Amino acid sequence: MFRRKFSTCTFLLLLFFFFTLFTSSMSLSQSQSPLAAKKKRMRDKVRTMFYHAYDNYMAYAFPHDELKPLSKTFTNSLSELGNLKLEHLPQHYNGSALTLIESLSSLLIMGNNTEFERAVLWLSANLTFDADARVNLFECNIRVLGGLVSAHLLASDSSKRLFQGAYKNQLLVLAEDLGKRFLPAFNTPTGLPYAWINLKYGVMENETTETSTSGCGSLILEMGALSKLTGDPRYELAALRALHKLWSMRSSLNLFGTTLDVATGEWIEFSSGIGAGVDSFYEYLLKGHILFGNEDLWRMFHSAYVAVQKYFRYGPWYHEADMRTGRATYWQLTSLQAFWPGLQVLTGDVIAANSSHREFFHVWQRFGVLPERYLLDHQMLHPTEKYYPLRPELAESTFYLYQATKDPWYLDVGESIINSLNSYTKVKGGFASIKDVSTMQLEDHQHSFFLAETCKYLYLLFDDSFLLESNYIFTTEGHPLPVLSTWHERLPETYFPTNWTFMKRQQEANRISSMSLQVCPAMNLISGHHIKSACHIPDARSDFRCMTDEDCGVDSTTCRRRSCSTAGYCGLWLLI
Ligand SMILES: *[C@@H]1O[C@H](CO)[C@@H](O)[C@H](O)[C@H]1NC(C)=O
Ligand SMILES: *[C@@H]1O[C@H](CO)[C@@H](O)[C@H](O)[C@H]1NC(C)=O
Ligand SMILES: *[C@@H]1O[C@H](CO)[C@@H](O)[C@H](O)[C@H]1NC(C)=O
Ligand SMILES: *[C@@H]1O[C@H](CO)[C@@H](O)[C@H](O)[C@H]1NC(C)=O
Ligand SMILES: *[C@@H]1O[C@H](CO)[C@@H](O)[C@H](O)[C@H]1NC(C)=O
Ligand SMILES: *[C@@H]1O[C@H](CO)[C@@H](O)[C@H](O)[C@H]1NC(C)=O
C-alpha cells in the first residue's frame, strides 16, 4: 500500500525508525535475530492458517462462493452479502468461486505462484457473470471486481514472471464484463447507484432506492482502475459522479449520514460514525487520491477527516453523531471501526492511531476477539450483535502501525490475534465465525474476507517482502493495487521521491511530507516550505530528542507549529 514511493508520511516515520535504529543500534542489533526468528515463526503460522482455510474451501466448497466449515459444505453467498432479510434470492445460481477470487492476491503474497496460475486459468475458462442473481453492488465491487483487477495487475507484472510471460489478460476480460454489468445501477436521477443489481438483467423492477454511504462512495478504486486498464472511461466517471453527488450532500459540518435514497438524493439515516455503512467512503477518498493523484479527492478527504476528528472522536474512541447538529448519538465501538487507525497511519496521524488501536486491542483482549458492537457507555456487549465473523480490521491496523513505527509491540498484538483465531475459530473444516463472543459458540460460515484480508494482513505484518518490490495501496477488501505514476493525473513529486533503499540514506527528505503538509495546509503559508506534521515526531518515545524546531513539525490535530525545548523535547508549550 504505501511502501517506498507513495506515503511520504509513513515513509518518513520509517526514516525516523532508522534514525532511532542508528542512534540506538547497540540494543536493537542484539534483538535483531530473535525478532527475525519470531517473524519467521509467526509468518509460517499464518501461512498454515491460510492453507487450512483455502484447502478446505477447495475441497468442500469450490467453485461455490464460500465454505461452511462446520458442515463441510458450501454456500452461494454472493447474492446474500448485504442482504439482511435474504430477499430475492436466486433460484438457479451456482456461485462464482468467490473465495477463490478473493484468495488470488493472498496466494501471490505468500509466494504460491503455481496455485495462483492454476486458479487464474480455471477462472478464465469457467467463470461467467451471466447469472440471474441479484447482488449487492458494493460487495460485488470490492470482492469480485477488486479481486479480479488486482490479480490482473499482478499477473501482468512482468517482474513476477508468471505464466512465463504468457498471460493473456483473461482476468481483465472478466473484470470488464462485470464492470459493464454494474453500469445500469448508475442510471438514476442523481447518479448515485442502486445498491442492488441483477447480473444478468440489470436493475430489477421496484428495486429499493435505499443505499448506504459506503455503498455508493467506495467504488472509485476498483472502477477507476478498470477504466485505466481498459481505456473505457465510463467506470471511473460513474464512480466519480456518485462520489461528487454524495459530497454535495454533506451537512454544513462536513458530516454525512449512513443511508440515503438514490432517486431523491435525500438522507434517510442522519446519524453516522466511522463504522458500518460509512467506513470505506472515507477510506476511498484518501486511497483514491493516492492511487490516481486526484486533488479533489484529497480536499474532500481532508475536510471530512477533520470533521470526523472533531465530531466523532472522544479520546481514543469514536462515537456516532447526527450529521446536522454534530450531537453524539450512539456511544458504541463497532468492530469495523478498527480499520480507522490504519487509515490514520496513511494520513500521518500515527499518535492518534496508536491510542485508538490500543484501546480496541484491549477490548479484543477482554473478549478474546473483537465483538461486532460494544456499548462504550455501559461497557458491555450489545445484546444482539455479539458476533465476530473473522473480521480483519484490527489485524489491518496492526500491520499499518507496525510498518509505520516498527515497534515490536505490534508483533505481539499480531501473535495474540493469531493465537485467538487458532484457539477459538479453527475447526477441522476451516475457520468458523463466532456467533457469540461471550460463549464462543461458532457459526457455520467462513467468510471470503478471512482469506482476502485477515490472513493477508497478518502475513504481511510478519513478512512484508511482497511490499519491497513495488508500491501498493490495498482496497477495502485487502486487494493490492500498484501505485503507478502513469495513473496519476498530477504527480506530486514527494509521492515518488525515489525508492526505499535509497531514501534510507537521504536524510534531507526527513523534512518533507506532502501528506502532512496537506493535513495542515496553513503551515505552508506561514513557513513557506514543507514541514512535517506531528505524526513524524514520536514524542511518546523516550528515546527521541529534537535538535531544532524544525524537527518538531506541526501538531496534526491543531495544525499548530511545535517547537523544540532546550532539553530536546517537542511540544506545543512554547507556542503562542
Ligand atoms: C447449477 O448446477 C446444477 C447442477 O450441477 C445444474 O443443473 C444447473 O444447470 C446449474 N445452473 C446454472 C445456472 O448454471
Ligand atoms: C500452493 O497451494 C497448493 C494448494 O494449497 C499447495 O498444494 C501447494 O503446496 C502450495 N505451494 C506452495 C509453494 O506453497
Ligand atoms: C473448468 O472447469 C471444469 C470443471 O470444474 C474443469 O474440468 C476444467 O479443467 C476447468 N478449466 C480450466 C482451464 O481449469
Ligand atoms: C412493482 O410495483 C407495482 C406497483 O406497486 C406492482 O404492480 C408490480 O407488480 C410490481 N412488480 C414486481 C415485479 O414486483
Ligand atoms: C503508542 O502508545 C503507547 C502507550 O501510550 C506508547 O508507549 C508508545 O510509545 C506509542 N507508540 C507510538 C508510535 O506513538
Ligand atoms: C534505488 O535507488 C538506488 C540509488 O539511487 C539505485 O541504485 C537503485 O537501482 C534503485 N532501485 C530501484 C529498484 O529503482
Side-chain angles (χ1 to χ4, degrees), residues 59-122:
Y60 301 113
F62 171 78
H64 299 279
D65 287 335
E66 290 178 315
L67 170 70
K68 295 176 87 147
L70 301 179
S71 52
K72 295 189 181 169
T73 173
F74 60 84
T75 161
N76 289 315
S77 42
L78 185 58
S79 59
E80 295 170 14
L81 300 172
N83 191 346
L84 300 181
K85 293 184 212 141
L86 297 180
E87 295 163 308
H88 310 289
L89 290 180
Q91 301 300 306
H92 308 284
Y93 167 64
N94 287 336
S96 307
L98 176 64
T99 301
L100 184 68
I101 295 171
E102 288 256 77
S103 299
L104 293 173
S105 54
S106 301
L107 284 167
L108 271 196
I109 285 175
M110 296 185 193
N112 198 334
N113 295 10
T114 49
E115 187 68 7
F116 175 85
E117 291 171 345
R118 206 168 74 91
V120 169
L121 293 178
W122 188 93

Side-chain angles (χ1 to χ4, degrees), residues 473-494:
I473 57 154
F474 288 96
T475 70
T476 193
E477 191 70 5
H479 296 302
L481 299 173
V483 180
L484 303 167
S485 54
T486 48
W487 283 13
H488 269 230
E489 294 166 10
R490 192 179 138 266
L491 190 59
E493 95 191 36
T494 40

Side-chain angles (χ1 to χ4, degrees), residues 3-20:
R3 207 55 190 221
R4 299 169 339 220
K5 290 182 248 164
F6 110 76
S7 172
T8 41
C9 198
T10 302
F11 132 92
L12 282 168
L13 271 153
L14 291 170
L15 269 185
F16 175 76
F17 168 67
F18 272 86
F19 173 68
T20 43

Side-chain angles (χ1 to χ4, degrees), residues 339-355:
F339 92 102
W340 190 255
L343 191 67
Q344 288 187 305
V345 168
L346 291 183
T347 73
D349 229 345
V350 176
I351 291 178
N354 179 37
S355 77

